[in-house]
Amino acid sequence: MTTDLAAPATTQDTTGRDAWEGFATGPWTEQVDVRDFIQRNYTPYEGDASFLAGPTDKTLRLWETLERDYLAAERKVRVLDVDTDTPADIDAFAPGYISDDDDVIVGLQTDSPLKRAMMPNGGWRMVETAIKEAGKEVNPEVKRIFTQYRKTHNDAVFDIYTPRIRAARSSHIITGLPDAYGRGRIIGDYRRVALYGVDHLIADKQRAKDAVADQPFSEHWARYREEHSEQIKALKKLKTMAASYGHDISRPAATAHEAVQWTYFAYLASVKSQDGAAMSIGRLSGFLDIYVERDLRSGTIDETAAQELIDNLVMKLRITRFLRTIDYDQIFSGDPYWATWSDAGFGEDGRPLVTKTSFRLLQTLRNLGPAPEPNITIFWDESLPAGYKDFCALISIETSSIQYEADEQIRAHWGDDAAIACCVSPMRVGKQMQFFGARVNAAKALLYAINGGRDEMTGKQVVTGLPGIEGDGPLDFDEVWDKYEKMLDWVVATYVEALNIIHYCHDRYAYESIEMALHDSEIIRTMGCGIAGLSIVADSLAAIKYATVTPVRDETGLVVDYLTEGDFPVYGNDDDRADDIAATVVHTVMSKIKAQPFYRDAIPTQSVLTITSNVVYGKATGSFPSGHRAGTPFSPGANPENGMDTHGMVASMLSVGKLDYTDALDGISLTNTITPQGLGRTIEERVANLVGILDAGFVPEDDPGA
């Protein structure tokens, strides 16, 4: 929904310039509706990359300073510095700068580049461990406050956790739960600050709060009013933080420079106050391009200045840092924060959402060099402008720094102003949020089904009341599947119960006030569930069904290995026998998820995603009928099992394409590796072939040749 409110009291800056001058008006001038503003004002670009500019001398000096004085030093020590005295907040730190050249897009998380801040509202134990692992000393007064006087999200969660949740968590059948850190997967509509100014947003939230003042008391009523109060406080802190850098963001942005700066301040406020597992920035290119095009037409900037704005914004996104533990880094294979920037695709009116700023974003990978952050994500469609497709392919070949999503699927379910939170999770910007839920180890659940709830790695009885497979003869597919379904009932119920507890506690003790202040007052909430180990389950069930699989037991009767004789189909080779099993597993898990009750009436979704945690899952899991060995990494996401896809990349894409997206609306991930040389001898051949592969991988569902 949108919120009705008159236009800002003033849209003029201190010089009298009207921030909205030259913009086509519409519903967005009467209510908060950024999408309407974009649709009425953006300029699709169907040309090539020839207009782009290189980095300015100032940009290069700033990046060189970062590399020499900060990034190089950080790589030697993992964590460069930590503020151990100041609990993080939007306005907790004095202004920080990289150098005297740092005056294009300003703002740091703390008062110094790469210095990390404590965020103890999520959980003190993780903070203390991370501080000590960074070689720093804990401030005893801060520890006293957050262990004696201020209850944390982590404390609350473990007060409520049931014995079976604790057992599932410790045995790693459920891993990565956000019960000690920020949940993330919430994309504030940071564009709202630039378009409307903070004062207008505060008035909007106050109106929404007061609109329910006369309703009778209920838990929803009380929480609604309290959350709106927290959002208003956060917006006021945002103004204070920006003012410390010399910017008045109470009013709308009047120039391209202000639009970029105001938008960044809004995002900066979120990463100053939350350490979410994914802190995506949303969908900015079309929005910012409107301001850039207006300034280009007026002659107040040129293309070099326009590129400098985007370069400097991306530079700031690259140096976002959170205080994490070594264990956290192992779960996520490093220290990602997924500042995902979504781009391209098509509008619902059929116009491409590619702008010149879409090109400028990709150009940062040349001007600043390759980097994993921001996680640039292209909504791909074979009908995108040819010049843009070619440039995407070229930059991918040069940098390996772009990820691609299926625009048609996303747009059909989430609209044309959707963005990716984290890796593959789509949502309407400012209209919905996700309760992030990590994932269950669906592969390990199969071993539990065979072993009657005993953990194959430790021998512990984790699940009771579900007998396993008896005898030493070959496994029967129907019997294994029946027991697997029953085990999934237990695993899914335990998993969702944990998620409900986590998000109840997160709302109470670590609420994302600034991110939610940049949402509508009434929003859609999804519960982002997920599974890991799909390929292993599919291959193992295929082995049981089509070959002969005999369990191997230890002296206690625990099945610890399997003897598999005969051939069997494997997932990832466009073989319906195995691929249908994979699709059935995804559907079965999702059906069981949907049967559970959800906190705040969240809509359950599912992802097939383990881009990083596949190594951790593998370490905690035993051997399988498919031949997967104990302790070895899972394949990432919905990928075929490592080394088992023998029919090429297109066959693996076709296998993944058989998974029903309605069973995995939180996203399905396929990671492929191609060497540039494998795409052709010349750069022209490589670009053309990569575009062809992407087109083939995202064929529209209604294409008769799909």
Side-chain angles (χ1 to χ4, degrees):
M1 63 173 285
T2 54
T3 50
D4 295 327
L5 190 69
T10 179
T11 59
Q12 293 184 338
D13 67 9
T14 55
T15 68
R17 289 174 297 180
D18 188 342
W20 292 353
E21 181 180 353
F23 293 153
T25 61
W28 68 270
T29 62
E30 301 299 325
Q31 58 195 18
V32 175
D33 190 345
V34 178
R35 179 192 174 273
D36 181 66
F37 166 74
I38 294 170
Q39 288 294 313
R40 293 176 185 277
N41 289 281
Y42 87 100
T43 304
Y45 178 67
E46 302 201 14
D48 60 22
S50 59
F51 72 93
L52 288 167
T56 63
D57 289 342
K58 178 181 285 188
T59 296
L60 291 176
R61 287 197 305 271
L62 195 60
W63 188 242
E64 288 167 2
T65 299
L66 266 174
E67 173 61 33
R68 181 187 65 246
D69 296 345
Y70 299 99
L71 292 169
E74 183 186 55
R75 284 192 286 270
K76 297 176 182 178
V77 295
R78 179 176 167 268
V79 175
L80 184 64
D81 196 8
V82 181
D83 187 307
T84 60
D85 301 318
T86 312
D89 203 350
I90 295 168
D91 58 353
F93 294 94
Y97 300 89
I98 298 169
S99 69
D100 291 341
D101 282 323
D102 188 8
D103 60 2
V104 179
I105 300 301
V106 298
L108 300 177
Q109 282 177 288
T110 58
D111 57 358
S112 179
L114 308 186
K115 180 190 286 186
R116 307 184 189 213
M118 299 182 292
M119 296 188 183
N121 289 340
W124 175 255
R125 282 174 292 182
M126 177 173 276
V127 168
E128 182 170 10
T129 300
I131 289 173
K132 291 179 179 179
E133 288 175 348
K136 304 291 182 179
E137 295 294 326
V138 171
N139 182 316
E141 182 60 21
V142 175
K143 178 177 180 178
R144 189 167 69 91
I145 291 170
F146 285 93
T147 55
Q148 295 184 30
Y149 302 115
R150 209 297 187 177
K151 190 171 187 177
T152 68
H153 162 236
N154 182 248
D155 292 334
V157 166
F158 277 84
D159 281 348
I160 303 174
Y161 267 173
T162 61
R164 73 176 190 174
I165 293 174
R166 287 175 178 264
R169 189 179 185 275
S170 63
S171 67
H172 304 289
I173 199 165
I174 303 173
T175 299
L177 293 171
D179 52 15
Y181 58 91
R183 56 191 167 192
R185 301 274 185 100
I186 300 173
I187 308 173
D189 191 353
Y190 306 113
R191 307 166 301 185
R192 294 184 180 192
V193 173
L195 184 57
Y196 296 105
V198 174
D199 282 355
H200 181 69
L201 299 178
I202 290 173
D204 188 20
K205 290 297 181 180
Q206 188 64 52
R207 180 210 59 80
K209 177 185 174 183
D210 291 343
V212 302
D214 295 330
Q215 292 182 8
F217 178 85
S218 67
E219 183 177 349
H220 171 76
W221 176 89
R223 179 166 54 193
Y224 182 91
R225 285 182 55 79
E226 182 184 25
E227 287 182 349
H228 276 70
S229 291
E230 292 301 311
Q231 292 170 22
I232 291 167
K233 292 174 186 176
L235 288 168
K236 291 177 177 177
K237 290 179 180 180
L238 170 58
K239 280 178 60 176
T240 300
M241 183 266 288
S244 73
Y245 284 97
H247 290 271
D248 176 14
I249 64 172
S250 63
R251 57 171 176 79
T255 65
H257 177 241
E258 288 185 347
V260 176
Q261 181 68 73
W262 272 218
T263 302
Y264 172 62
F265 275 142
Y267 178 75
L268 181 62
S270 73
V271 296
K272 278 176 170 283
S273 56
Q274 285 288 332
D275 64 342
M279 299 295 288
S280 299
I281 199 167
R283 193 179 184 104
L284 302 184
S285 295
F287 174 78
L288 296 177
D289 193 76
I290 296 168
Y291 290 87
V292 172
E293 285 296 307
R294 186 178 63 172
D295 283 7
L296 286 170
R297 288 193 301 269
S298 69
T300 55
I301 64 171
D302 59 14
E303 182 55 40
T304 297
Q307 185 66 51
E308 184 179 57
L309 291 174
I310 304 304
D311 286 346
N312 278 261
L313 172 59
V314 166
M315 193 184 309
K316 289 294 164 54
L317 299 180
R318 289 188 180 189
I319 59 173
T320 297
R321 295 291 186 274
F322 294 107
L323 182 62
R324 309 292 203 193
T325 63
I326 293 174
D327 283 347
Y328 180 99
D329 288 356
Q330 290 177 344
I331 291 175
F332 293 100
S333 296
D335 185 21
Y337 44 95
W338 288 292
T340 305
W341 184 323
S342 303
D343 209 348
F346 278 85
E348 293 171 4
D349 62 1
R351 292 184 295 163
L353 288 166
V354 174
T355 64
K356 284 188 173 181
T357 297
S358 302
F359 281 79
R360 295 180 185 113
L361 173 63
L362 299 180
Q363 180 74 348
T364 66
L365 294 169
R366 284 178 161 174
N367 289 353
L368 303 176
E373 302 285 2
N375 179 22
I376 298 174
T377 299
I378 307 302
F379 289 178
W380 189 270
D381 187 286
E382 63 178 343
S383 298
L384 286 172
Y388 182 69
K389 291 168 64 177
D390 288 348
F391 193 56
C392 285
L394 178 62
I395 296 297
S396 286
I397 291 166
E398 291 179 354
T399 69
S400 299
S401 298
I402 305 176
Q403 109 176 345
Y404 297 91
E405 307 273 349
D407 178 62
E408 183 193 60
Q409 296 275 21
I410 292 170
R411 180 166 24 91
H413 289 87
W414 311 106
D416 62 6
D417 196 40
I420 299 297
C422 189
C423 309
V424 297
S425 306
M427 60 190 65
R428 296 175 188 264
V429 179
K431 308 291 183 183
Q432 70 182 83
M433 63 161 285
Q434 181 191 108
F435 292 141
F436 167 54
R439 52 203 60 85
V440 297
N441 190 333
K444 194 177 182 73
L446 177 64
L447 301 184
Y448 272 36
I450 293 170
N451 273 311
R454 288 183 68 192
D455 189 280
E456 75 285 355
M457 301 293 277
T458 66
K460 292 181 179 179
Q461 189 73 47
V462 176
V463 184
T464 58
L466 294 176
I469 301 293
E470 298 180 356
D472 297 324
L475 297 176
D476 175 75
F477 177 84
D478 290 335
E479 182 183 12
V480 170
W481 178 259
D482 178 68
K483 292 184 181 297
Y484 185 46
E485 278 217 68
K486 290 182 173 64
M487 185 57 64
L488 286 176
D489 287 333
W490 185 93
V491 171
V492 167
T494 304
Y495 175 42
V496 172
E497 184 177 62
L499 297 184
N500 287 333
I501 291 168
I502 287 166
H503 294 293
Y504 166 80
C505 294
H506 209 294
D507 278 349
R508 292 192 67 189
Y509 298 101
Y511 180 66
E512 300 91 343
S513 55
I514 190 60
E515 291 164 89
M516 297 313 301
L518 301 174
H519 280 71
D520 290 352
S521 290
E522 295 287 356
I523 62 168
I524 296 170
R525 294 175 175 85
T526 61
M527 185 72 78
C529 305
I531 60 172
L534 175 64
S535 61
I536 301 173
V537 174
D539 290 354
S540 293
L541 289 172
I544 294 168
K545 186 172 185 177
Y546 294 102
T548 301
V549 177
T550 304
V552 177
R553 300 179 185 273
D554 68 8
E555 64 277 4
T556 70
L558 181 72
V559 177
V560 294
D561 205 350
Y562 301 87
L563 176 62
T564 300
E565 299 173 291
D567 296 329
F568 59 93
V570 293
Y571 166 73
N573 293 287
D574 194 23
D575 187 321
D576 286 344
R577 294 175 297 169
D579 297 346
D580 287 350
I581 291 175
T584 299
V585 170
V586 174
H587 178 75
T588 299
V589 174
M590 189 63 220
S591 298
K592 295 179 184 301
I593 289 171
K594 287 180 178 178
Q596 305 302 313
F598 286 92
Y599 172 63
R600 295 188 84 165
D601 297 321
I603 299 169
T605 61
Q606 179 177 219
S607 66
V608 186
L609 169 69
T610 47
I611 287 178
T612 56
S613 52
N614 48 302
V615 175
V616 172
Y617 278 109
K619 287 182 179 179
T621 307
S623 296
F624 286 85
S626 64
H628 185 97
R629 305 310 302 164
T632 59
F634 287 8
S635 61
N639 275 52
E641 178 71 334
N642 299 318
M644 300 292 272
D645 50 331
T646 59
H647 287 60
M649 185 168 134
V650 173
S652 71
M653 296 170 83
L654 291 171
S655 290
V656 173
K658 295 173 190 175
L659 304 179
D660 191 339
Y661 183 55
T662 60
D663 287 329
L665 287 173
D666 196 40
I668 301 170
S669 168
L670 172 64
T671 304
N672 277 311
T673 301
I674 313 172
T675 62
Q677 294 79 8
L679 290 167
R681 291 176 295 177
T682 67
I683 190 62
E684 291 79 13
E685 287 180 351
R686 293 170 184 174
V687 167
N689 286 332
L690 181 53
V691 168
I693 290 171
L694 290 169
D695 284 346
F698 297 121
V699 175
E701 286 184 313
D702 58 358
D703 190 317

